Amino acid sequence: MITGTRTISLEIDGRPVTVPEGTTLYDAARQLDVEIPVLCHDPRMRPVGVCRMCVVDVGERVLAAACVRKAADGMSVITRSDKIERCRKTLTELLLSDYPEGSAREQKSADDLLLQLARDYGIEGRAPSLPRGNGRPQDDSSPVIAVDHSACILCDRCIRGCDEIQHNDVIGRTGKGYGSRISFDLDNPMGESTCVACGECAAVCPTGALTVKPITVPIEADRPLETVDSVCPYCGVGCAITYHVDREKNAVARAEGRDSPASESRLCVKGRFGFDYAKHPQRLTTPLIRRDDYYPKGPLSSDVKGERRKKPGGLVDYDEVMPAFREATWEEALDLAASRLKAIRDEFGPSTLAGFGSAKCSNEEAYLFQKLVRAVFGTNNIDHCTRLCHASSVAALLETIGSGAVTNVFSDVRNADVAIVTGSNTTENHPVAATFIKDAASKGTTLIVIDSRETGIARHAHHFLQIEPGSDVALYNAMMHVMIEEDLIKHDYIARYTEGFEELKGLVARYTPEVAAKICGVSADKIAEVARIFGKANAAIIYWGMGISQHTHGTDNARCLISLALLSGNIGRPGTGLHPLRGQNNVQGASDAGLIPMVYPDYQNVASEEARQKFEEAWGVPLDPNPGLTVVEIIGGALDGSIKGMYMMGENPFLSDPNVNKVRKALASLEFLCVQDIFLTETAEFADVILPATSFFEKTGTYTNSDRRVQVGQVTLEAPGEARLDWEIVCEIATRMGYPMSYDSASAIFEEFTSLAPSYSGLDYDNLKPTGKLWPCPDPETSDGVQLLFGDGFPTSSGRGKFVPVDYQPAAELPDDEYPFVLNTGRMLEHWHTGTMTRRAKALHAIEPEAVCQMNPQDLQAMGLEPGTLVTLTTRRGTITLKVRSAPSVARGNVFMPFHFREASANILTNDVLDPHGKIPEYKFCAVKVEKA
Amino acid sequence: MAYPHAHPREVRLLSKYFGDEDAIGIEGWAERGGYVALEKALEMGPDEVTEVVKESGLRGRGGAGFPAGLKWSFMPKDGKRPNYLACNADESEPGTFKDREIMRWTPHQMIEGIIICSYAIRAQHAYIYIRGEMVDVVRVVNDAVVEAYRKGYLGENILGSGYDLELTVHLGAGAYIAGEETGLLSSLEGRRAEPKVKPPFPAQRGAFGMPTTVNNVETLAAVPHIVENGADWYRQWGTEKSPGTKLFSCCGHLQRPGNYEVSLDFNLKELVYDLCGGPPEGRQLRAVIPGGSSVPLMTVDEIDCDVSYEGIEAAGSLQGSGGLIAIDDSACLLRSIRKMVDFYAHESCGQCTNCREGTVWLANILRRIERGDGREEDLPLLLDVGANMAGRTICPLSDSAAVPVVSGIQKFEEEFVAHIKDGTCTAVR
């Protein structure tokens, strides 16, 4: 690390060079374009100097490793001499002597660093005079990474990759001397260790010791692969990826992290190994129309019907659902969809139509889809899954600081003194964002984790507060109470940039730590301690996830967090900010593009005359001045008949919306449903027309990550069969409904979108490459965009941030004698939402193949349940059966379950009661009964 | 009482009470003049103590011979970060058993040295990193530390001086490399005993990232004597560059093996033949290793030198730890060397390529020669591998492993050649 501003002058190979103090000889040499060979060194990691390949002569008895030795004044360095070159050659020979024939890395990607050195030093084969064969084993236990200990040169890269880049701390060394080996945990097979399969080790390994296993097609160096620079299709972190594509087989062979400010070349298991869903045989390849004998409509597969299958688990059985549909031409399917939607609009009025877009689709698709619903359907009944994740956060943010987006990027945690992570299972849901938080925590940022579960990020926390589910407001009010009481607040900031402080002060006065302790289950002392740490921080940043938002008081939770930041002046400076971690890869963008019933693109209010006029002018039609319905309201409308026709682009509400039994009835009672997707989803079982769309890999589009970074996803694969681009399909429907729509390309749509969305102004496909830009970006030619927002006031009517004090309210459905447990739902690392993609990704499915719920081991013991047995979970809304896993991370009295699994859908159980402001359902809390199945 | 074979030509400074059961406890030690030096030191300033040790010319007795006072003077004096002292009691160099006896018979001699050194370097916490296998010695040291605390020589406000010191005994878990000073620090921190890259040196960044001095038991045991009697007094023994006395642990083919403490200008040959009585009856010595297995072998012709650092170095070896191993003509030298290399191969931490791979190669090639499958090109190969193991790695273990092989080939080539050419051994059975 470069530590000083002082400079050092030295000589390398007789040439003078001046470098900042703290520069290593390796880096100093690079400055002179002198390449020093390395095996163990990687600029992304702390140098360790163990391979000794980079040794140079600094005039001492011992040759110094250039990667670790710091430059010193007057030093004279020789990087190449007979002595040094002989040492390097001997080292190469030593390593090569028992290196296995046919390095896996050389075979897969022809970039084996040791063999490269051997070629450089003219070493052909192995020295015949040397003993060979280290007899170290292979480890095939991981589904994604092949381990060949015999090809390991103990360079320590994987260990540092695991410890220092990803902070998973799985790999270490065992044994000593020649018997040393890398080991996973306590020398377990990799597949049985705590390895989270991020693949960083294989990415940094220079030899054949750790390589990625093929997932789709064989990875062979002599098979030419094309590279495509794109982004990850999964979460809101938006990692940059280079896909290596086998053109002949039209398949991604492997994925590689690409350097970008958002991800710094890191990936998680989904990004690195979850790309093969696009090639799954269940892809829809022709338009489908429901056969006449399958009316009246209803669920088709046994899981969606709610019947207990004999063999639980897994994907939809197409044999159960396909007979209900017949193949159709595009013409027929589009005509049918357009004519039915038009007929409903004309007969019952525009407000009986609704559209669900998706945060998985690009900005262009989202923009076009909401344009279709608004300009062609004639209604604002357009919403998408953001409603189900951060609607309450956005409601609170818009209300208090006038903008729903993050005020700072997640990686800026490195500049924070204190970070709060609350209601976020960051290591599983935003794994790469979590690496930045973990890294900061290891380098001096005090990490405070607040959660009802002891999630992975809690292991890195300096202070972990395991609160009672749903007690957040009480905790934050008490923290603010202490901060005000002990004068740990920023008076200047409050006076200059906020309003409503007195009201807040008045309300939180009642929330002493003692009062909150009774509600939260955390001691008053701990609450006060954490409040002081937060209050005294010079720069503090707050991250939150669904644990905050998915409550009936989700908006209140977010209001409290915003108040905490305003109270301490922690907005708009480096290391500060509010960061609701966004779920979907384009949840920020889909909202920006207007897939929200109350606002046009860029949050321009539909109720505003001025905004409406702007869009009426742009789109050339009169627009509905009334805000539309939200996701759960639309489903309710379908049930009561006020919504009659729907068009869904890439959403699967059957599994993602609360109270499945209600959703089932609602979807069945729709007069017409058109589903556009890449697989025949649970929702599509209720469709009249199914339109085969393109997957992420088959189209170009922009995606806006959690940081507001707009990035371009590129065409990587050819679409299967007759599948068509989503935006083209939308254009076809619009045109057939009497509103001609056509564009040359996705970038043309982006151009139209940006012309109407001031925040995106100036951005285009050219300036977004290669690593995207943060919006707003006033000067895209020279700048990466604005990282810190609101350093000087807020986009509210008063220009001030508003304190909205709130009282603690319990969850809507509390446990009782009949339903004594609290059910919490969420995600797991390997799976994505309704499992449509990840359960069709071979590696991800192999790691987590079936539905599970988690309970505290003491509860299991008390109930006489063995981990792995089947349990029945029952709420007032339904019953499911699935395996139970023992999880000390779950507090007693709680049950956690992921909602990815169709055969045991969490949302059969969840409560569809809504937060009054954000209209978000209370996924994180309902009362449940647990019985042995 | 002498231990186990006293000789009138010894200068018994540190070993005076070896074998004296009554010297072990703190009362007995006090009766023998213990802790007087500490009282004196506490009346001096820390830098004054360092100065006396510097003037005495005391050099590190762990093997490298670095001047102790100079090492102490590298420690920061600003008090911004805590300073530490680590007493290296992880004695594991093959052929070396002097620290063990210092601790077994005179634990307070070491502890007093530790307290004085800690005071001089402004450490508030000292550690004794002791070899875990020395179970009985550990017990003695633990008892002595408890006694020192009870007497007020450790803890807060030592002897009313206002100086505080905690002393922790930390047991090693059986790795030779934990005796290397930075390997020791890694182990002390709870990590694998992997040596650290230098610079930064321990005085800049040592235990737990803080400035640390690491000193050998024998070095610290000499400190009270120096502080009590002065630098000039200490310099009455030894040479200009190597003042004082030194314990030699003598083993192998000798009539009277054991620990002998001699002035550092003592003659090595006389140490071997007079004090230790030379080889058993009817045997001839072939080789002497004067400083533990990490130093070059010496032929009998070479050992007519004084035992000072510079004396042995000029004669073709190093004083090292003072672990003297005598090898007579009954032994197969090749096998002896191979066993030494096996030891280093086993004890390599495995970090550096040269050492991890090189040690095993050396051992395997030697084993091949020993078996009678050697080839002529094996000797240059051994020398080449050896040359690229020495002076290339993080710590000197790699050098140590190459030393017996390289010096063996240089000085006893006939042994290797006989094995390669004739498949025979030059040992006289």
Side-chain angles (χ1 to χ4, degrees), chain A residues 48-52 55 61-63 68-69 83 86-87 90-91 93-95 97-98 129-131 153-154 173-178 180, chain B residues 174 192 194 197-199 345-354 356-358 360-361 364 368 375 381 384 387-388 391-394 399:
Chain A
V48 289
V50 295
C51 78
R52 313 308 288 179
V55 287
R61 181 187 74 85
V62 180
L63 296 180
V68 274
R69 175 57 75 87
K83 180 180 169 186
R86 243 190 66 195
C87 176
T90 302
L91 283 181
E93 279 175 341
L94 283 167
L95 290 171
S97 78
D98 49 17
S129 54
L130 292 167
I153 58 166
L154 277 304
R173 244 195 309 259
T174 183
K176 53 183 185 179
Y178 190 72
S180 304
Chain B
R192 287 164 57 85
E194 287 169 348
V197 174
K198 291 185 280 196
H346 184 259
E347 297 300 340
S348 164
C349 81
Q351 278 192 104
C352 301
T353 310
N354 321 43
R356 182 184 67 242
E357 309 286 325
V360 164
W361 274 29
N364 284 349
R368 180 164 75 195
R375 342 167 178 197
L381 182 62
D384 180 60
N388 286 300
R392 307 280 189 275
T393 51
I394 292 176
D399 302 61

Coordinates of all heavy atoms in Angstrom, one line a residue, chain A residues 48-52 55 61-63 68-69 83 86-87 90-91 93-95 97-98 129-131 153-154 173-178 180, chain B residues 174 192 194 197-199 345-354 356-358 360-361 364 368 375 381 384 387-388 391-394 399:
Chain A
V48 N 2.8 -11.4 -0.8 CA 3.3 -12.2 0.3 C 4.7 -12.7 0.0 O 5.4 -13.1 0.9 CB 2.4 -13.4 0.5 CG1 1.0 -13.0 1.1 CG2 2.1 -14.2 -0.8
G49 N 5.1 -12.6 -1.2 CA 6.5 -13.0 -1.5 C 6.9 -14.4 -1.2 O 8.0 -14.7 -0.7
V50 N 6.1 -15.3 -1.5 CA 6.4 -16.7 -1.2 C 6.9 -17.5 -2.4 O 7.7 -18.5 -2.2 CB 5.2 -17.5 -0.5 CG1 4.9 -16.9 0.8 CG2 4.0 -17.5 -1.4
C51 N 6.5 -17.2 -3.6 CA 6.9 -18.0 -4.7 C 8.4 -17.8 -5.0 O 9.1 -18.7 -5.6 CB 6.1 -17.8 -6.0 SG 6.5 -16.3 -6.9
R52 N 8.9 -16.7 -4.7 CA 10.3 -16.2 -4.8 C 10.8 -16.1 -6.3 O 11.9 -16.0 -6.6 CB 11.3 -17.2 -4.1 CG 10.9 -17.6 -2.7 CD 10.6 -16.4 -1.8 NE 11.7 -15.6 -1.4 CZ 11.7 -14.5 -0.7 NH1 10.5 -14.1 -0.2 NH2 12.8 -13.8 -0.3
V55 N 12.4 -12.6 -7.2 CA 13.6 -12.1 -6.4 C 14.5 -11.2 -7.3 O 14.7 -11.5 -8.5 CB 14.4 -13.2 -5.8 CG1 13.7 -13.9 -4.7 CG2 14.8 -14.3 -6.9
R61 N 22.7 -10.0 1.3 CA 23.0 -11.4 1.3 C 21.9 -12.2 0.6 O 22.1 -13.1 -0.2 CB 23.3 -11.9 2.7 CG 23.7 -13.4 2.7 CD 23.7 -14.0 4.1 NE 22.4 -14.2 4.7 CZ 21.7 -15.3 4.6 NH1 22.1 -16.3 3.8 NH2 20.5 -15.4 5.1
V62 N 20.7 -11.8 1.0 CA 19.5 -12.5 0.5 C 18.9 -11.7 -0.6 O 18.7 -10.5 -0.5 CB 18.5 -12.7 1.7 CG1 17.3 -13.4 1.2 CG2 19.1 -13.4 2.8
L63 N 18.5 -12.5 -1.7 CA 17.8 -11.8 -2.8 C 16.4 -11.4 -2.2 O 15.8 -12.2 -1.5 CB 17.7 -12.8 -4.0 CG 19.0 -13.2 -4.6 CD1 18.6 -14.2 -5.8 CD2 19.7 -12.0 -5.2
V68 N 7.2 -7.7 -2.5 CA 7.0 -7.2 -1.2 C 8.0 -6.1 -0.7 O 7.7 -5.3 0.2 CB 7.0 -8.3 -0.1 CG1 5.7 -8.9 0.1 CG2 8.1 -9.3 -0.4
R69 N 9.2 -6.1 -1.3 CA 10.2 -5.2 -0.8 C 9.9 -3.8 -1.3 O 9.6 -3.6 -2.4 CB 11.6 -5.6 -1.3 CG 12.7 -4.7 -1.0 CD 12.8 -4.4 0.5 NE 13.4 -5.5 1.3 CZ 14.8 -5.6 1.4 NH1 15.6 -4.8 1.0 NH2 15.2 -6.6 2.1
K83 N 22.8 -14.9 -11.8 CA 22.4 -15.5 -10.5 C 20.9 -15.5 -10.4 O 20.3 -16.5 -10.0 CB 23.0 -14.6 -9.4 CG 22.7 -15.0 -8.0 CD 23.4 -14.0 -7.0 CE 23.0 -14.2 -5.6 NZ 23.5 -13.2 -4.7
R86 N 19.2 -17.9 -12.9 CA 19.4 -19.3 -12.6 C 18.4 -19.7 -11.4 O 17.9 -20.8 -11.4 CB 20.8 -19.5 -12.1 CG 21.5 -20.5 -13.1 CD 22.9 -20.9 -12.5 NE 22.7 -21.7 -11.3 CZ 23.7 -22.0 -10.5 NH1 24.9 -21.5 -10.7 NH2 23.6 -22.7 -9.4
C87 N 18.3 -18.8 -10.5 CA 17.3 -19.0 -9.4 C 15.9 -19.2 -10.0 O 15.2 -20.2 -9.6 CB 17.3 -17.9 -8.4 SG 16.2 -18.0 -7.1
T90 N 15.7 -22.5 -11.8 CA 15.7 -23.7 -10.9 C 14.3 -23.8 -10.2 O 13.8 -24.9 -10.1 CB 16.8 -23.5 -9.8 OG1 18.0 -23.4 -10.5 CG2 16.8 -24.7 -8.8
L91 N 13.8 -22.7 -9.8 CA 12.5 -22.7 -9.2 C 11.4 -23.3 -10.1 O 10.6 -24.1 -9.7 CB 12.0 -21.3 -8.8 CG 12.6 -20.7 -7.6 CD1 12.1 -19.3 -7.3 CD2 12.4 -21.5 -6.4
E93 N 12.0 -25.3 -12.5 CA 12.2 -26.7 -12.6 C 11.7 -27.5 -11.4 O 11.1 -28.6 -11.6 CB 13.7 -27.0 -12.8 CG 14.2 -26.8 -14.2 CD 15.7 -26.9 -14.3 OE1 16.4 -26.8 -13.3 OE2 16.2 -27.1 -15.4
L94 N 12.0 -26.9 -10.3 CA 11.5 -27.5 -9.0 C 10.0 -27.7 -9.1 O 9.5 -28.8 -8.8 CB 11.8 -26.7 -7.8 CG 13.3 -26.7 -7.3 CD1 13.5 -25.5 -6.3 CD2 13.6 -28.0 -6.6
L95 N 9.3 -26.7 -9.5 CA 7.8 -26.8 -9.5 C 7.3 -27.7 -10.6 O 6.3 -28.4 -10.4 CB 7.2 -25.4 -9.7 CG 7.4 -24.4 -8.5 CD1 7.0 -23.0 -8.9 CD2 6.6 -24.9 -7.3
S97 N 8.8 -30.3 -11.7 CA 9.2 -31.7 -11.6 C 8.1 -32.6 -11.2 O 8.0 -33.7 -11.6 CB 10.4 -31.8 -10.7 OG 9.9 -31.8 -9.3
D98 N 7.2 -32.1 -10.4 CA 6.1 -33.0 -10.1 C 4.8 -32.4 -10.4 O 3.7 -32.6 -9.8 CB 6.1 -33.4 -8.6 CG 6.3 -32.2 -7.7 OD1 6.1 -31.1 -8.1 OD2 6.7 -32.4 -6.5
S129 N 16.4 -35.8 -14.1 CA 17.2 -36.3 -13.0 C 16.5 -36.1 -11.7 O 17.0 -36.4 -10.6 CB 18.6 -35.5 -13.0 OG 18.3 -34.1 -13.0
L130 N 15.3 -35.5 -11.7 CA 14.7 -35.2 -10.5 C 13.6 -36.1 -10.1 O 12.9 -36.6 -11.0 CB 14.2 -33.7 -10.6 CG 15.3 -32.7 -10.7 CD1 14.7 -31.4 -11.1 CD2 16.0 -32.6 -9.4
P131 N 13.5 -36.3 -8.8 CA 12.4 -37.2 -8.4 C 11.1 -36.5 -8.7 O 11.0 -35.3 -8.7 CB 12.6 -37.3 -6.9 CG 13.7 -36.4 -6.5 CD 14.2 -35.7 -7.7
I153 N 0.9 -25.0 -6.4 CA 2.2 -24.6 -6.2 C 2.3 -23.8 -4.9 O 3.2 -23.0 -4.6 CB 2.8 -23.8 -7.3 CG1 1.9 -22.6 -7.7 CG2 3.0 -24.7 -8.6 CD1 2.6 -21.6 -8.6
L154 N 1.2 -23.8 -4.1 CA 1.2 -23.2 -2.8 C 1.5 -21.7 -2.9 O 2.2 -21.1 -2.1 CB 2.1 -23.8 -1.8 CG 1.7 -25.1 -1.0 CD1 0.4 -24.8 -0.3 CD2 1.6 -26.3 -1.9
R173 N -4.0 -23.2 4.8 CA -3.0 -24.2 4.4 C -3.0 -25.3 5.5 O -3.1 -25.0 6.7 CB -1.7 -23.5 4.3 CG -1.1 -23.6 3.0 CD 0.4 -23.2 3.0 NE 0.6 -22.0 3.7 CZ 0.9 -20.8 3.1 NH1 0.9 -20.8 1.8 NH2 1.1 -19.8 3.8
T174 N -2.7 -26.5 5.2 CA -2.5 -27.5 6.1 C -1.2 -28.2 5.9 O -0.7 -28.2 4.8 CB -3.7 -28.5 6.1 OG1 -3.5 -29.4 7.2 CG2 -3.8 -29.2 4.8
G175 N -0.7 -28.9 6.9 CA 0.6 -29.6 6.7 C 1.7 -28.6 6.6 O 1.5 -27.4 6.7
K176 N 2.9 -29.1 6.6 CA 4.0 -28.2 6.4 C 5.0 -28.8 5.4 O 4.9 -29.9 5.0 CB 4.7 -27.9 7.8 CG 5.1 -29.1 8.6 CD 5.6 -28.7 9.9 CE 6.2 -29.9 10.7 NZ 6.7 -29.6 12.0
G177 N 5.9 -27.9 5.0 CA 7.0 -28.3 4.1 C 6.3 -28.8 2.8 O 5.3 -28.3 2.3
Y178 N 6.9 -29.9 2.3 CA 6.4 -30.5 1.0 C 5.1 -31.1 1.2 O 4.3 -31.2 0.2 CB 7.4 -31.5 0.6 CG 7.3 -32.1 -0.8 CD1 7.6 -31.3 -1.9 CD2 6.8 -33.4 -1.0 CE1 7.4 -31.8 -3.1 CE2 6.6 -33.9 -2.2 CZ 7.0 -33.1 -3.3 OH 6.8 -33.6 -4.6
S180 N 2.6 -29.6 2.5 CA 1.7 -28.5 2.6 C 0.6 -28.7 1.5 O 0.9 -29.0 0.4 CB 2.3 -27.1 2.4 OG 3.3 -26.9 3.4
Chain B
G174 N 5.2 -27.6 18.7 CA 6.1 -28.6 18.0 C 6.5 -28.3 16.6 O 6.6 -29.2 15.8
R192 N -0.4 -20.0 12.0 CA 0.7 -21.0 11.6 C 2.0 -20.3 11.8 O 2.2 -19.1 11.5 CB 0.5 -21.5 10.2 CG -0.7 -22.4 10.0 CD -1.0 -22.5 8.5 NE 0.1 -23.0 7.7 CZ 0.4 -24.3 7.5 NH1 -0.4 -25.2 8.1 NH2 1.4 -24.7 6.8
E194 N 4.5 -19.3 10.4 CA 5.1 -19.0 9.1 C 5.9 -17.7 9.3 O 5.4 -16.7 9.7 CB 4.1 -18.8 8.1 CG 3.5 -20.2 7.7 CD 2.3 -20.1 6.8 OE1 1.7 -19.0 6.6 OE2 1.9 -21.1 6.2
V197 N 7.9 -11.7 6.1 CA 8.9 -11.0 5.2 C 9.5 -9.9 6.0 O 8.8 -9.1 6.7 CB 8.1 -10.5 4.0 CG1 9.1 -9.6 3.1 CG2 7.6 -11.6 3.1
K198 N 10.8 -9.8 5.9 CA 11.5 -8.6 6.5 C 12.2 -7.9 5.4 O 12.8 -8.5 4.5 CB 12.6 -9.2 7.5 CG 12.0 -9.8 8.7 CD 13.1 -10.2 9.7 CE 13.7 -11.5 9.4 NZ 14.5 -12.1 10.5
P199 N 12.3 -6.6 5.4 CA 11.6 -5.7 6.3 C 10.1 -5.7 6.1 O 9.8 -6.1 5.0 CB 12.2 -4.3 6.0 CG 12.7 -4.4 4.6 CD 13.1 -5.8 4.4
A345 N 13.4 -30.8 5.7 CA 12.3 -31.0 4.8 C 11.0 -31.2 5.6 O 10.0 -30.7 5.3 CB 12.5 -32.3 4.0
H346 N 11.2 -31.8 6.8 CA 10.0 -32.0 7.6 C 9.6 -30.8 8.3 O 8.4 -30.5 8.6 CB 10.3 -33.1 8.7 CG 9.2 -33.4 9.6 ND1 9.1 -32.9 10.9 CD2 8.1 -34.2 9.4 CE1 7.9 -33.4 11.4 NE2 7.4 -34.2 10.5
E347 N 10.5 -29.9 8.6 CA 10.2 -28.7 9.4 C 10.0 -27.4 8.5 O 9.7 -26.4 9.0 CB 11.3 -28.4 10.4 CG 11.5 -29.6 11.4 CD 10.2 -29.7 12.2 OE1 9.4 -28.8 12.3 OE2 10.0 -30.8 12.8
S348 N 10.2 -27.5 7.2 CA 10.0 -26.4 6.3 C 8.5 -26.0 6.5 O 7.6 -26.9 6.6 CB 10.2 -26.8 4.9 OG 9.6 -25.8 4.0
C349 N 8.2 -24.7 6.6 CA 6.8 -24.3 6.8 C 6.1 -24.5 5.5 O 4.8 -24.6 5.5 CB 6.7 -22.9 7.3 SG 6.9 -21.6 6.0
G350 N 6.8 -24.5 4.4 CA 6.1 -24.7 3.1 C 5.7 -23.4 2.3 O 5.1 -23.5 1.3
Q351 N 6.1 -22.2 2.9 CA 5.8 -21.0 2.2 C 6.6 -20.8 0.9 O 6.0 -20.7 -0.2 CB 6.0 -19.8 3.1 CG 5.0 -19.4 4.1 CD 5.3 -18.1 4.7 OE1 4.7 -17.1 4.4 NE2 6.3 -18.0 5.6
C352 N 7.9 -20.8 1.0 CA 8.7 -20.5 -0.1 C 9.0 -21.7 -1.0 O 9.3 -22.8 -0.5 CB 10.1 -19.9 0.3 SG 9.9 -18.4 1.3
T353 N 8.9 -21.5 -2.3 CA 9.1 -22.6 -3.2 C 10.4 -23.3 -3.0 O 10.5 -24.5 -2.9 CB 9.0 -22.1 -4.6 OG1 7.8 -21.3 -4.7 CG2 8.9 -23.2 -5.6
N354 N 11.5 -22.4 -3.0 CA 12.8 -23.0 -2.9 C 13.0 -24.0 -1.8 O 13.6 -25.0 -1.9 CB 13.9 -21.9 -2.6 CG 13.6 -20.6 -3.4 OD1 12.5 -20.2 -3.4 ND2 14.6 -20.0 -3.9
R356 N 10.4 -25.4 0.2 CA 9.4 -26.5 0.3 C 9.8 -27.6 -0.7 O 9.7 -28.7 -0.4 CB 8.0 -25.9 -0.1 CG 6.9 -26.9 -0.1 CD 5.6 -26.3 -0.5 NE 5.6 -25.9 -2.0 CZ 5.5 -24.7 -2.4 NH1 5.3 -23.7 -1.6 NH2 5.5 -24.4 -3.7
E357 N 10.1 -27.2 -1.9 CA 10.4 -28.1 -3.0 C 11.9 -28.6 -2.8 O 12.2 -29.8 -3.0 CB 10.2 -27.6 -4.3 CG 8.9 -26.9 -4.5 CD 7.7 -27.9 -4.7 OE1 7.9 -29.0 -5.2 OE2 6.6 -27.6 -4.2
G358 N 12.8 -27.6 -2.6 CA 14.2 -27.9 -2.6 C 14.6 -28.9 -1.5 O 15.4 -29.8 -1.7
V360 N 13.0 -31.3 -0.1 CA 12.6 -32.7 -0.5 C 13.4 -33.2 -1.6 O 13.8 -34.4 -1.6 CB 11.1 -32.7 -0.8 CG1 10.7 -34.0 -1.5 CG2 10.3 -32.6 0.5
W361 N 13.8 -32.4 -2.5 CA 14.6 -32.8 -3.6 C 16.0 -33.2 -3.1 O 16.5 -34.3 -3.5 CB 14.8 -31.7 -4.6 CG 13.7 -31.6 -5.6 CD1 12.4 -32.1 -5.5 CD2 13.8 -31.1 -6.9 NE1 11.7 -31.8 -6.6 CE2 12.6 -31.3 -7.5 CE3 14.9 -30.6 -7.7 CZ2 12.3 -30.9 -8.8 CZ3 14.6 -30.2 -8.9 CH2 13.4 -30.3 -9.5
N364 N 15.7 -36.5 -1.4 CA 15.4 -37.6 -2.3 C 16.6 -38.0 -3.1 O 16.9 -39.1 -3.4 CB 14.2 -37.3 -3.2 CG 12.9 -37.4 -2.5 OD1 12.9 -37.9 -1.4 ND2 11.9 -36.9 -3.2
R368 N 18.7 -41.4 -2.9 CA 19.0 -42.2 -4.1 C 20.5 -42.6 -4.1 O 20.9 -43.7 -4.3 CB 18.7 -41.4 -5.3 CG 19.0 -42.0 -6.6 CD 18.3 -41.3 -7.7 NE 18.9 -40.0 -8.1 CZ 18.3 -39.0 -8.8 NH1 17.1 -39.2 -9.2 NH2 19.0 -37.9 -9.1
R375 N 24.1 -40.9 -9.4 CA 24.8 -40.7 -10.7 C 25.7 -39.6 -10.5 O 25.6 -38.8 -9.6 CB 23.8 -40.4 -11.8 CG 22.4 -40.7 -11.4 CD 21.3 -40.1 -12.3 NE 20.0 -40.5 -11.8 CZ 18.9 -40.4 -12.6 NH1 19.0 -39.9 -13.7 NH2 17.8 -40.9 -12.1
L381 N 24.1 -31.3 -9.4 CA 22.7 -31.1 -9.2 C 22.4 -30.6 -7.8 O 21.7 -29.7 -7.5 CB 21.9 -32.3 -9.6 CG 20.4 -32.2 -9.5 CD1 19.8 -31.1 -10.5 CD2 19.7 -33.5 -9.9
D384 N 23.7 -27.2 -7.3 CA 22.8 -26.2 -8.0 C 21.6 -25.9 -7.2 O 21.2 -24.8 -6.9 CB 22.5 -26.7 -9.4 CG 21.6 -25.6 -10.1 OD1 22.1 -24.5 -10.3 OD2 20.5 -26.0 -10.5
A387 N 22.5 -24.1 -4.1 CA 22.8 -22.7 -4.3 C 21.6 -21.9 -4.4 O 21.5 -20.7 -4.0 CB 23.7 -22.6 -5.5
N388 N 20.5 -22.5 -5.0 CA 19.3 -21.7 -5.2 C 18.3 -21.8 -4.1 O 17.2 -21.3 -4.2 CB 18.7 -22.1 -6.6 CG 19.4 -21.5 -7.7 OD1 19.6 -20.3 -7.8 ND2 20.0 -22.4 -8.5
G391 N 19.9 -18.0 0.6 CA 19.8 -16.6 0.3 C 18.7 -16.2 -0.7 O 18.9 -15.2 -1.5
R392 N 17.7 -17.0 -0.7 CA 16.6 -16.7 -1.7 C 15.2 -16.6 -1.0 O 14.2 -16.4 -1.7 CB 16.5 -17.8 -2.8 CG 17.8 -18.1 -3.5 CD 18.1 -17.1 -4.6 NE 19.2 -17.5 -5.4 CZ 20.5 -17.3 -5.1 NH1 20.8 -16.6 -4.0 NH2 21.5 -17.7 -5.9
T393 N 15.2 -16.9 0.2 CA 13.8 -17.1 0.8 C 13.5 -16.2 2.0 O 14.4 -15.4 2.4 CB 13.8 -18.6 1.4 OG1 14.9 -18.8 2.2 CG2 13.8 -19.6 0.2
I394 N 12.3 -16.3 2.5 CA 11.9 -15.4 3.6 C 12.7 -15.6 4.8 O 13.1 -14.6 5.4 CB 10.4 -15.6 3.8 CG1 9.5 -15.2 2.6 CG2 9.9 -14.9 5.1 CD1 8.0 -15.4 2.8
D399 N 18.3 -21.9 3.8 CA 19.8 -21.9 3.8 C 20.4 -23.1 4.6 O 21.3 -23.8 4.3 CB 20.3 -20.6 4.4 CG 19.8 -19.4 3.7 OD1 18.6 -19.2 3.6 OD2 20.7 -18.6 3.2

